[in-house]
Amino acid sequence: MKIQDNCQLATYNTFGIEATADRMVEYESVEELQSFVHQRNASADSSPLLHIGGGSNLLFIDDFHGTILRSNMRKIQVTADEGDNVYVCVTAGIVWDDWVQYAVDSHWYGLENLSLIPGTVGASAVQNIGAYGSEAKDFIIFVDTVDLQTGEIRHFTAEECRYGYRDSAFKHELKGRYAVTHVHFKLSHSFRPKLDYGGIRKALEDRNIDETNLTPEQLRQTIIEIRRAKLPEPSELGNAGSFFTNSIVPQATFKQLLNENPNIPHYEVDKDYVKIPAGWMIEQCGWKGKTLGKAGVYERQALVLVNRGGATGKDIAALCERIQEDVEARFGIRIEPEVNFIA
Ligand code: EPU
């Protein structure tokens, strides 16, 4: 177990926000995490506890007066191989994209469209990360956790995780209670590319890649290039990917908006609901590429807020609020952050 007091957090969050945590604890095994919980209970320590992954979905508003936990467990293990399916157990601390690369190299398919999403495997199971028509939940079968109150191991089936769009029970009723230690994935030995999401086919054409001969590695590289063209590299410009989630509104609300904005991009969710891209609404409000203090809206994707250098969490939060107000005034929709605010 690695323990650091007064830990500087700038390198632990992709926004690059400078804040301090009273303590950072990095564990190497489930047993170490359990012993941390038991010691904490024995010393009646009730200070706040926060488990982080790659820090790509966090906004530190202030210094954190408590303990931050991080997994240093790194293992990928096949648990079963049956017919077309391979079942793989992956520790939560592994970087998500390292796992995607490992899977593609191992000829285990399904995750290609989720290439280059920042963060860790553990976070993928909390956040249900998604991109280009795929979501982590499509491949997760169950999740192993440690109860941070008792130290007990508990397994959750995908159904118990209650996955939704960028959502799971770990963000609601189970919030803060369980540390994800392993995620169990079901992948396939056959490559079935998903190319329907706008932009992928065009990107393949531009690269002279014939769809019928497409390899998994080519699809992965194409997705990586599409993302790089739209999303800033955190090492160059602090950001947390999409800052807001897209808005899911009732059909009636959508019809009204469509009357006033005939070109509004949208995706049917089901017969009752429609998803409207928050990035489009933010752009319509004139925020794309704008800066407020040291915080800004990325030039190439309005859903991404960036640290223009030396921004505090409060600077980013202030920009977030201004954007929310403007979008609400113009469209009557309150857009919600996907990023977790840590106060
Ligand atoms: N749009 C604009 N202006 C913008 C941004 C988007 O008009 O500045 C419009 C686009 O023209 C398009 C629509 O909004 O019609 C959707 O845009 P895009 O395909 O770029 O995707 P998104 O909905 O903005 C989501 C995810 C991304 C993911 C992409 C690709 C969320 C919150 N975000 O963004 O995820 O990479 O789709 O699948 O669902 C992340 O979570 O960090 C992330 C980057």
Side-chain angles (χ1 to χ4, degrees), residues 1-46:
M1 192 145 46
K2 192 171 142 206
I3 301 174
Q4 231 180 308
D5 285 333
N6 294 318
C7 178
Q8 299 301 320
L9 297 172
T11 56
Y12 291 100
N13 72 97
T14 58
F15 256 124
I17 301 290
E18 300 207 11
T20 308
D22 288 354
R23 176 167 280 200
M24 165 89 69
V25 172
E26 295 178 70
Y27 57 91
E28 314 284 335
S29 65
V30 168
E31 294 71 30
E32 270 191 14
L33 176 59
Q34 289 176 303
S35 96
F36 164 82
V37 174
H38 294 144
Q39 279 169 31
R40 183 176 148 88
N41 288 344
S43 62
D45 179 358
S46 59

mmCIF file of all heavy atoms in Angstrom, residues 1-46:
data_model
loop_
_atom_site.group_PDB
_atom_site.id
_atom_site.type_symbol
_atom_site.label_atom_id
_atom_site.label_comp_id
_atom_site.label_asym_id
_atom_site.label_seq_id
_atom_site.Cartn_x
_atom_site.Cartn_y
_atom_site.Cartn_z
ATOM 1 N N MET A 1 0.866 -1.198 0.000
ATOM 2 C CA MET A 1 0.000 0.000 0.000
ATOM 3 C C MET A 1 0.897 1.241 0.000
ATOM 4 O O MET A 1 1.869 1.298 0.749
ATOM 5 C CB MET A 1 -0.856 -0.026 1.274
ATOM 6 C CG MET A 1 -1.963 0.969 1.262
ATOM 7 S SD MET A 1 -3.484 0.391 2.090
ATOM 8 C CE MET A 1 -2.943 -0.328 3.603
ATOM 9 N N LYS A 2 0.562 2.188 -0.881
ATOM 10 C CA LYS A 2 1.381 3.411 -0.942
ATOM 11 C C LYS A 2 0.549 4.552 -0.350
ATOM 12 O O LYS A 2 -0.579 4.821 -0.812
ATOM 13 C CB LYS A 2 1.703 3.677 -2.415
ATOM 14 C CG LYS A 2 2.762 4.733 -2.615
ATOM 15 C CD LYS A 2 3.177 4.787 -4.088
ATOM 16 C CE LYS A 2 3.413 6.232 -4.493
ATOM 17 N NZ LYS A 2 3.228 6.486 -5.904
ATOM 18 N N ILE A 3 1.081 5.214 0.673
ATOM 19 C CA ILE A 3 0.335 6.290 1.332
ATOM 20 C C ILE A 3 1.094 7.600 1.178
ATOM 21 O O ILE A 3 2.297 7.657 1.410
ATOM 22 C CB ILE A 3 0.123 5.980 2.828
ATOM 23 C CG1 ILE A 3 -0.643 4.663 2.971
ATOM 24 C CG2 ILE A 3 -0.620 7.121 3.531
ATOM 25 C CD1 ILE A 3 -0.799 4.162 4.380
ATOM 26 N N GLN A 4 0.369 8.634 0.773
ATOM 27 C CA GLN A 4 0.992 9.943 0.557
ATOM 28 C C GLN A 4 0.139 10.981 1.283
ATOM 29 O O GLN A 4 -1.058 11.103 0.990
ATOM 30 C CB GLN A 4 0.891 10.234 -0.939
ATOM 31 C CG GLN A 4 2.146 10.646 -1.634
ATOM 32 C CD GLN A 4 1.817 10.876 -3.117
ATOM 33 O OE1 GLN A 4 1.231 10.016 -3.791
ATOM 34 N NE2 GLN A 4 2.157 12.037 -3.596
ATOM 35 N N ASP A 5 0.718 11.740 2.187
ATOM 36 C CA ASP A 5 -0.047 12.798 2.852
ATOM 37 C C ASP A 5 0.108 14.097 2.074
ATOM 38 O O ASP A 5 1.099 14.288 1.379
ATOM 39 C CB ASP A 5 0.423 12.966 4.304
ATOM 40 C CG ASP A 5 -0.094 11.822 5.173
ATOM 41 O OD1 ASP A 5 -1.156 11.255 4.833
ATOM 42 O OD2 ASP A 5 0.578 11.464 6.152
ATOM 43 N N ASN A 6 -0.870 14.991 2.191
ATOM 44 C CA ASN A 6 -0.871 16.269 1.447
ATOM 45 C C ASN A 6 -0.513 16.062 -0.016
ATOM 46 O O ASN A 6 0.449 16.612 -0.527
ATOM 47 C CB ASN A 6 0.113 17.263 2.078
ATOM 48 C CG ASN A 6 -0.346 17.649 3.452
ATOM 49 O OD1 ASN A 6 -1.539 17.879 3.652
ATOM 50 N ND2 ASN A 6 0.569 17.673 4.410
ATOM 51 N N CYS A 7 -1.307 15.251 -0.660
ATOM 52 C CA CYS A 7 -1.010 14.863 -2.044
ATOM 53 C C CYS A 7 -1.490 15.936 -3.038
ATOM 54 O O CYS A 7 -2.645 16.377 -2.988
ATOM 55 C CB CYS A 7 -1.701 13.528 -2.309
ATOM 56 S SG CYS A 7 -1.497 12.954 -3.962
ATOM 57 N N GLN A 8 -0.600 16.344 -3.919
ATOM 58 C CA GLN A 8 -0.971 17.301 -4.986
ATOM 59 C C GLN A 8 -1.767 16.545 -6.048
ATOM 60 O O GLN A 8 -1.330 15.498 -6.520
ATOM 61 C CB GLN A 8 0.289 17.892 -5.636
ATOM 62 C CG GLN A 8 1.181 18.672 -4.678
ATOM 63 C CD GLN A 8 0.454 19.834 -4.030
ATOM 64 O OE1 GLN A 8 -0.324 20.527 -4.694
ATOM 65 N NE2 GLN A 8 0.678 20.036 -2.741
ATOM 66 N N LEU A 9 -2.909 17.111 -6.449
ATOM 67 C CA LEU A 9 -3.818 16.354 -7.317
ATOM 68 C C LEU A 9 -3.717 16.690 -8.807
ATOM 69 O O LEU A 9 -4.371 16.052 -9.622
ATOM 70 C CB LEU A 9 -5.258 16.557 -6.841
ATOM 71 C CG LEU A 9 -5.540 16.023 -5.432
ATOM 72 C CD1 LEU A 9 -6.933 16.439 -4.976
ATOM 73 C CD2 LEU A 9 -5.399 14.507 -5.409
ATOM 74 N N ALA A 10 -2.895 17.694 -9.167
ATOM 75 C CA ALA A 10 -2.876 18.160 -10.571
ATOM 76 C C ALA A 10 -2.631 17.021 -11.567
ATOM 77 O O ALA A 10 -3.248 16.991 -12.634
ATOM 78 C CB ALA A 10 -1.836 19.255 -10.750
ATOM 79 N N THR A 11 -1.774 16.065 -11.201
ATOM 80 C CA THR A 11 -1.497 14.975 -12.144
ATOM 81 C C THR A 11 -2.514 13.827 -12.019
ATOM 82 O O THR A 11 -2.458 12.869 -12.775
ATOM 83 C CB THR A 11 -0.085 14.396 -11.932
ATOM 84 O OG1 THR A 11 0.026 13.991 -10.568
ATOM 85 C CG2 THR A 11 0.995 15.411 -12.247
ATOM 86 N N TYR A 12 -3.411 13.932 -11.058
ATOM 87 C CA TYR A 12 -4.419 12.874 -10.870
ATOM 88 C C TYR A 12 -5.780 13.266 -11.445
ATOM 89 O O TYR A 12 -6.758 12.563 -11.240
ATOM 90 C CB TYR A 12 -4.570 12.541 -9.382
ATOM 91 C CG TYR A 12 -3.362 11.842 -8.802
ATOM 92 C CD1 TYR A 12 -2.416 12.540 -8.057
ATOM 93 C CD2 TYR A 12 -3.157 10.483 -9.020
ATOM 94 C CE1 TYR A 12 -1.312 11.897 -7.524
ATOM 95 C CE2 TYR A 12 -2.053 9.834 -8.498
ATOM 96 C CZ TYR A 12 -1.135 10.542 -7.753
ATOM 97 O OH TYR A 12 -0.042 9.895 -7.236
ATOM 98 N N ASN A 13 -5.866 14.466 -12.095
ATOM 99 C CA ASN A 13 -7.119 14.797 -12.768
ATOM 100 C C ASN A 13 -6.776 15.401 -14.128
ATOM 101 O O ASN A 13 -5.879 16.230 -14.236
ATOM 102 C CB ASN A 13 -7.993 15.720 -11.910
ATOM 103 C CG ASN A 13 -7.483 17.146 -11.808
ATOM 104 O OD1 ASN A 13 -7.938 18.022 -12.534
ATOM 105 N ND2 ASN A 13 -6.518 17.388 -10.929
ATOM 106 N N THR A 14 -7.491 14.966 -15.162
ATOM 107 C CA THR A 14 -7.106 15.351 -16.533
ATOM 108 C C THR A 14 -7.396 16.829 -16.830
ATOM 109 O O THR A 14 -6.924 17.352 -17.834
ATOM 110 C CB THR A 14 -7.810 14.464 -17.588
ATOM 111 O OG1 THR A 14 -9.221 14.594 -17.399
ATOM 112 C CG2 THR A 14 -7.401 13.005 -17.451
ATOM 113 N N PHE A 15 -8.179 17.495 -15.965
ATOM 114 C CA PHE A 15 -8.356 18.946 -16.099
ATOM 115 C C PHE A 15 -7.071 19.680 -15.689
ATOM 116 O O PHE A 15 -6.892 20.853 -15.992
ATOM 117 C CB PHE A 15 -9.494 19.440 -15.192
ATOM 118 C CG PHE A 15 -10.765 19.737 -15.929
ATOM 119 C CD1 PHE A 15 -11.953 19.123 -15.573
ATOM 120 C CD2 PHE A 15 -10.778 20.649 -16.976
ATOM 121 C CE1 PHE A 15 -13.132 19.405 -16.246
ATOM 122 C CE2 PHE A 15 -11.951 20.944 -17.660
ATOM 123 C CZ PHE A 15 -13.130 20.311 -17.299
ATOM 124 N N GLY A 16 -6.205 18.969 -14.935
ATOM 125 C CA GLY A 16 -4.973 19.597 -14.455
ATOM 126 C C GLY A 16 -5.240 20.650 -13.388
ATOM 127 O O GLY A 16 -4.484 21.614 -13.247
ATOM 128 N N ILE A 17 -6.330 20.481 -12.627
ATOM 129 C CA ILE A 17 -6.679 21.434 -11.559
ATOM 130 C C ILE A 17 -5.744 21.196 -10.370
ATOM 131 O O ILE A 17 -5.546 20.049 -9.950
ATOM 132 C CB ILE A 17 -8.141 21.232 -11.093
ATOM 133 C CG1 ILE A 17 -9.118 21.424 -12.256
ATOM 134 C CG2 ILE A 17 -8.474 22.125 -9.896
ATOM 135 C CD1 ILE A 17 -9.272 22.808 -12.774
ATOM 136 N N GLU A 18 -5.194 22.296 -9.854
ATOM 137 C CA GLU A 18 -4.310 22.167 -8.697
ATOM 138 C C GLU A 18 -5.142 22.192 -7.427
ATOM 139 O O GLU A 18 -5.824 23.169 -7.155
ATOM 140 C CB GLU A 18 -3.300 23.311 -8.698
ATOM 141 C CG GLU A 18 -2.474 23.262 -9.953
ATOM 142 C CD GLU A 18 -1.106 23.863 -9.784
ATOM 143 O OE1 GLU A 18 -0.710 24.132 -8.646
ATOM 144 O OE2 GLU A 18 -0.453 24.057 -10.823
ATOM 145 N N ALA A 19 -5.096 21.093 -6.707
ATOM 146 C CA ALA A 19 -5.777 20.998 -5.417
ATOM 147 C C ALA A 19 -4.978 19.984 -4.612
ATOM 148 O O ALA A 19 -4.102 19.292 -5.150
ATOM 149 C CB ALA A 19 -7.215 20.532 -5.610
ATOM 150 N N THR A 20 -5.257 19.905 -3.321
ATOM 151 C CA THR A 20 -4.520 18.991 -2.458
ATOM 152 C C THR A 20 -5.498 18.050 -1.781
ATOM 153 O O THR A 20 -6.598 18.469 -1.411
ATOM 154 C CB THR A 20 -3.780 19.806 -1.357
ATOM 155 O OG1 THR A 20 -3.025 20.814 -2.005
ATOM 156 C CG2 THR A 20 -2.850 18.941 -0.542
ATOM 157 N N ALA A 21 -5.088 16.804 -1.610
ATOM 158 C CA ALA A 21 -5.886 15.876 -0.793
ATOM 159 C C ALA A 21 -5.121 15.628 0.504
ATOM 160 O O ALA A 21 -3.893 15.517 0.476
ATOM 161 C CB ALA A 21 -6.095 14.564 -1.531
ATOM 162 N N ASP A 22 -5.847 15.495 1.600
ATOM 163 C CA ASP A 22 -5.170 15.221 2.874
ATOM 164 C C ASP A 22 -4.316 13.958 2.750
ATOM 165 O O ASP A 22 -3.218 13.889 3.254
ATOM 166 C CB ASP A 22 -6.196 15.018 3.998
ATOM 167 C CG ASP A 22 -6.862 16.332 4.376
ATOM 168 O OD1 ASP A 22 -6.429 17.387 3.846
ATOM 169 O OD2 ASP A 22 -7.813 16.319 5.191
ATOM 170 N N ARG A 23 -4.870 12.960 2.050
ATOM 171 C CA ARG A 23 -4.150 11.693 1.952
ATOM 172 C C ARG A 23 -4.529 10.946 0.667
ATOM 173 O O ARG A 23 -5.681 11.012 0.223
ATOM 174 C CB ARG A 23 -4.528 10.838 3.172
ATOM 175 C CG ARG A 23 -3.943 9.456 3.188
ATOM 176 C CD ARG A 23 -4.108 8.823 4.535
ATOM 177 N NE ARG A 23 -3.095 9.315 5.452
ATOM 178 C CZ ARG A 23 -2.728 8.694 6.579
ATOM 179 N NH1 ARG A 23 -3.327 7.576 6.935
ATOM 180 N NH2 ARG A 23 -1.792 9.188 7.348
ATOM 181 N N MET A 24 -3.543 10.261 0.088
ATOM 182 C CA MET A 24 -3.812 9.390 -1.073
ATOM 183 C C MET A 24 -3.332 7.989 -0.713
ATOM 184 O O MET A 24 -2.197 7.807 -0.268
ATOM 185 C CB MET A 24 -3.035 9.930 -2.278
ATOM 186 C CG MET A 24 -2.914 8.994 -3.447
ATOM 187 S SD MET A 24 -4.256 9.123 -4.625
ATOM 188 C CE MET A 24 -3.969 10.723 -5.333
ATOM 189 N N VAL A 25 -4.194 6.998 -0.914
ATOM 190 C CA VAL A 25 -3.823 5.612 -0.621
ATOM 191 C C VAL A 25 -3.957 4.803 -1.912
ATOM 192 O O VAL A 25 -5.033 4.754 -2.515
ATOM 193 C CB VAL A 25 -4.736 5.025 0.480
ATOM 194 C CG1 VAL A 25 -4.493 3.535 0.649
ATOM 195 C CG2 VAL A 25 -4.532 5.763 1.794
ATOM 196 N N GLU A 26 -2.859 4.199 -2.336
ATOM 197 C CA GLU A 26 -2.896 3.346 -3.534
ATOM 198 C C GLU A 26 -2.703 1.899 -3.099
ATOM 199 O O GLU A 26 -1.751 1.602 -2.380
ATOM 200 C CB GLU A 26 -1.816 3.778 -4.521
ATOM 201 C CG GLU A 26 -2.087 5.182 -5.043
ATOM 202 C CD GLU A 26 -1.016 5.689 -5.989
ATOM 203 O OE1 GLU A 26 -0.932 5.171 -7.112
ATOM 204 O OE2 GLU A 26 -0.279 6.598 -5.592
ATOM 205 N N TYR A 27 -3.604 1.022 -3.508
ATOM 206 C CA TYR A 27 -3.527 -0.372 -3.064
ATOM 207 C C TYR A 27 -3.182 -1.296 -4.225
ATOM 208 O O TYR A 27 -3.489 -1.013 -5.381
ATOM 209 C CB TYR A 27 -4.829 -0.802 -2.374
ATOM 210 C CG TYR A 27 -6.064 -0.637 -3.212
ATOM 211 C CD1 TYR A 27 -6.524 -1.673 -4.030
ATOM 212 C CD2 TYR A 27 -6.776 0.552 -3.205
ATOM 213 C CE1 TYR A 27 -7.656 -1.534 -4.805
ATOM 214 C CE2 TYR A 27 -7.906 0.703 -3.992
ATOM 215 C CZ TYR A 27 -8.342 -0.335 -4.774
ATOM 216 O OH TYR A 27 -9.454 -0.184 -5.570
ATOM 217 N N GLU A 28 -2.536 -2.408 -3.871
ATOM 218 C CA GLU A 28 -2.020 -3.351 -4.884
ATOM 219 C C GLU A 28 -2.849 -4.622 -4.976
ATOM 220 O O GLU A 28 -2.606 -5.449 -5.850
ATOM 221 C CB GLU A 28 -0.578 -3.779 -4.534
ATOM 222 C CG GLU A 28 0.356 -2.661 -4.133
ATOM 223 C CD GLU A 28 0.822 -1.831 -5.326
ATOM 224 O OE1 GLU A 28 0.819 -2.385 -6.435
ATOM 225 O OE2 GLU A 28 1.152 -0.649 -5.122
ATOM 226 N N SER A 29 -3.757 -4.830 -4.011
ATOM 227 C CA SER A 29 -4.549 -6.067 -4.013
ATOM 228 C C SER A 29 -5.864 -5.822 -3.281
ATOM 229 O O SER A 29 -5.998 -4.834 -2.537
ATOM 230 C CB SER A 29 -3.784 -7.183 -3.291
ATOM 231 O OG SER A 29 -3.638 -6.825 -1.923
ATOM 232 N N VAL A 30 -6.807 -6.753 -3.481
ATOM 233 C CA VAL A 30 -8.095 -6.663 -2.779
ATOM 234 C C VAL A 30 -7.855 -6.731 -1.268
ATOM 235 O O VAL A 30 -8.465 -5.999 -0.488
ATOM 236 C CB VAL A 30 -9.033 -7.799 -3.255
ATOM 237 C CG1 VAL A 30 -10.253 -7.927 -2.359
ATOM 238 C CG2 VAL A 30 -9.472 -7.548 -4.692
ATOM 239 N N GLU A 31 -6.914 -7.597 -0.856
ATOM 240 C CA GLU A 31 -6.625 -7.759 0.578
ATOM 241 C C GLU A 31 -6.140 -6.438 1.174
ATOM 242 O O GLU A 31 -6.533 -6.066 2.272
ATOM 243 C CB GLU A 31 -5.570 -8.852 0.806
ATOM 244 C CG GLU A 31 -6.025 -10.267 0.441
ATOM 245 C CD GLU A 31 -6.166 -10.485 -1.073
ATOM 246 O OE1 GLU A 31 -5.429 -9.831 -1.848
ATOM 247 O OE2 GLU A 31 -7.023 -11.298 -1.475
ATOM 248 N N GLU A 32 -5.294 -5.720 0.425
ATOM 249 C CA GLU A 32 -4.808 -4.426 0.928
ATOM 250 C C GLU A 32 -5.950 -3.435 1.082
ATOM 251 O O GLU A 32 -5.999 -2.683 2.049
ATOM 252 C CB GLU A 32 -3.769 -3.836 -0.046
ATOM 253 C CG GLU A 32 -2.366 -4.266 0.272
ATOM 254 C CD GLU A 32 -1.307 -3.484 -0.504
ATOM 255 O OE1 GLU A 32 -1.605 -2.422 -1.102
ATOM 256 O OE2 GLU A 32 -0.168 -3.962 -0.502
ATOM 257 N N LEU A 33 -6.865 -3.439 0.124
ATOM 258 C CA LEU A 33 -8.008 -2.522 0.209
ATOM 259 C C LEU A 33 -8.868 -2.890 1.423
ATOM 260 O O LEU A 33 -9.303 -2.013 2.181
ATOM 261 C CB LEU A 33 -8.823 -2.588 -1.093
ATOM 262 C CG LEU A 33 -10.110 -1.767 -1.122
ATOM 263 C CD1 LEU A 33 -9.824 -0.281 -0.871
ATOM 264 C CD2 LEU A 33 -10.839 -1.917 -2.462
ATOM 265 N N GLN A 34 -9.076 -4.201 1.604
ATOM 266 C CA GLN A 34 -9.888 -4.637 2.747
ATOM 267 C C GLN A 34 -9.209 -4.238 4.067
ATOM 268 O O GLN A 34 -9.871 -3.782 4.994
ATOM 269 C CB GLN A 34 -10.091 -6.159 2.705
ATOM 270 C CG GLN A 34 -11.028 -6.570 1.584
ATOM 271 C CD GLN A 34 -11.150 -8.074 1.484
ATOM 272 O OE1 GLN A 34 -10.148 -8.782 1.326
ATOM 273 N NE2 GLN A 34 -12.370 -8.573 1.580
ATOM 274 N N SER A 35 -7.894 -4.393 4.119
ATOM 275 C CA SER A 35 -7.219 -4.069 5.382
ATOM 276 C C SER A 35 -7.257 -2.558 5.637
ATOM 277 O O SER A 35 -7.387 -2.114 6.766
ATOM 278 C CB SER A 35 -5.817 -4.677 5.442
ATOM 279 O OG SER A 35 -4.866 -3.753 5.043
ATOM 280 N N PHE A 36 -7.223 -1.761 4.540
ATOM 281 C CA PHE A 36 -7.394 -0.308 4.696
ATOM 282 C C PHE A 36 -8.755 -0.011 5.342
ATOM 283 O O PHE A 36 -8.859 0.787 6.276
ATOM 284 C CB PHE A 36 -7.279 0.394 3.327
ATOM 285 C CG PHE A 36 -7.816 1.794 3.338
ATOM 286 C CD1 PHE A 36 -7.036 2.851 3.801
ATOM 287 C CD2 PHE A 36 -9.119 2.065 2.924
ATOM 288 C CE1 PHE A 36 -7.541 4.143 3.844
ATOM 289 C CE2 PHE A 36 -9.631 3.347 2.964
ATOM 290 C CZ PHE A 36 -8.834 4.386 3.420
ATOM 291 N N VAL A 37 -9.812 -0.665 4.847
ATOM 292 C CA VAL A 37 -11.166 -0.414 5.374
ATOM 293 C C VAL A 37 -11.237 -0.828 6.849
ATOM 294 O O VAL A 37 -11.781 -0.092 7.687
ATOM 295 C CB VAL A 37 -12.239 -1.162 4.535
ATOM 296 C CG1 VAL A 37 -13.618 -1.015 5.160
ATOM 297 C CG2 VAL A 37 -12.257 -0.654 3.097
ATOM 298 N N HIS A 38 -10.644 -1.979 7.172
ATOM 299 C CA HIS A 38 -10.707 -2.455 8.564
ATOM 300 C C HIS A 38 -9.962 -1.493 9.503
ATOM 301 O O HIS A 38 -10.462 -1.162 10.574
ATOM 302 C CB HIS A 38 -10.143 -3.880 8.669
ATOM 303 C CG HIS A 38 -11.014 -4.866 7.936
ATOM 304 N ND1 HIS A 38 -10.507 -5.950 7.258
ATOM 305 C CD2 HIS A 38 -12.364 -4.907 7.745
ATOM 306 C CE1 HIS A 38 -11.514 -6.622 6.688
ATOM 307 N NE2 HIS A 38 -12.637 -5.998 6.977
ATOM 308 N N GLN A 39 -8.782 -1.024 9.056
ATOM 309 C CA GLN A 39 -8.015 -0.082 9.897
ATOM 310 C C GLN A 39 -8.786 1.213 10.104
ATOM 311 O O GLN A 39 -8.800 1.785 11.194
ATOM 312 C CB GLN A 39 -6.689 0.272 9.224
ATOM 313 C CG GLN A 39 -5.595 -0.762 9.425
ATOM 314 C CD GLN A 39 -4.403 -0.478 8.502
ATOM 315 O OE1 GLN A 39 -4.121 0.665 8.187
ATOM 316 N NE2 GLN A 39 -3.737 -1.536 8.072
ATOM 317 N N ARG A 40 -9.432 1.662 9.027
ATOM 318 C CA ARG A 40 -10.192 2.916 9.091
ATOM 319 C C ARG A 40 -11.349 2.764 10.084
ATOM 320 O O ARG A 40 -11.604 3.648 10.893
ATOM 321 C CB ARG A 40 -10.707 3.213 7.677
ATOM 322 C CG ARG A 40 -11.456 4.494 7.506
ATOM 323 C CD ARG A 40 -11.796 4.652 6.022
ATOM 324 N NE ARG A 40 -13.060 5.353 5.864
ATOM 325 C CZ ARG A 40 -13.172 6.665 5.804
ATOM 326 N NH1 ARG A 40 -12.095 7.418 5.862
ATOM 327 N NH2 ARG A 40 -14.355 7.229 5.679
ATOM 328 N N ASN A 41 -12.017 1.615 10.022
ATOM 329 C CA ASN A 41 -13.122 1.377 10.961
ATOM 330 C C ASN A 41 -12.600 1.300 12.385
ATOM 331 O O ASN A 41 -13.214 1.854 13.307
ATOM 332 C CB ASN A 41 -13.874 0.090 10.597
ATOM 333 C CG ASN A 41 -14.696 0.282 9.327
ATOM 334 O OD1 ASN A 41 -14.930 1.411 8.908
ATOM 335 N ND2 ASN A 41 -15.115 -0.811 8.716
ATOM 336 N N ALA A 42 -11.441 0.626 12.559
ATOM 337 C CA ALA A 42 -10.893 0.454 13.909
ATOM 338 C C ALA A 42 -10.512 1.808 14.514
ATOM 339 O O ALA A 42 -10.644 2.018 15.719
ATOM 340 C CB ALA A 42 -9.671 -0.464 13.856
ATOM 341 N N SER A 43 -10.084 2.743 13.657
ATOM 342 C CA SER A 43 -9.691 4.047 14.199
ATOM 343 C C SER A 43 -10.845 5.048 14.162
ATOM 344 O O SER A 43 -10.652 6.238 14.397
ATOM 345 C CB SER A 43 -8.481 4.597 13.441
ATOM 346 O OG SER A 43 -8.850 4.789 12.089
ATOM 347 N N ALA A 44 -12.042 4.544 13.844
ATOM 348 C CA ALA A 44 -13.264 5.368 13.790
ATOM 349 C C ALA A 44 -13.061 6.621 12.937
ATOM 350 O O ALA A 44 -13.560 7.700 13.252
ATOM 351 C CB ALA A 44 -13.733 5.722 15.197
ATOM 352 N N ASP A 45 -12.309 6.458 11.837
ATOM 353 C CA ASP A 45 -12.061 7.574 10.916
ATOM 354 C C ASP A 45 -13.309 7.772 10.047
ATOM 355 O O ASP A 45 -13.712 6.875 9.312
ATOM 356 C CB ASP A 45 -10.843 7.198 10.043
ATOM 357 C CG ASP A 45 -10.506 8.267 9.018
ATOM 358 O OD1 ASP A 45 -11.232 9.276 8.951
ATOM 359 O OD2 ASP A 45 -9.513 8.086 8.284
ATOM 360 N N SER A 46 -13.919 8.953 10.167
ATOM 361 C CA SER A 46 -15.129 9.176 9.363
ATOM 362 C C SER A 46 -14.919 10.308 8.356
ATOM 363 O O SER A 46 -15.886 10.897 7.867
ATOM 364 C CB SER A 46 -16.319 9.471 10.277
ATOM 365 O OG SER A 46 -16.002 10.610 11.044
#
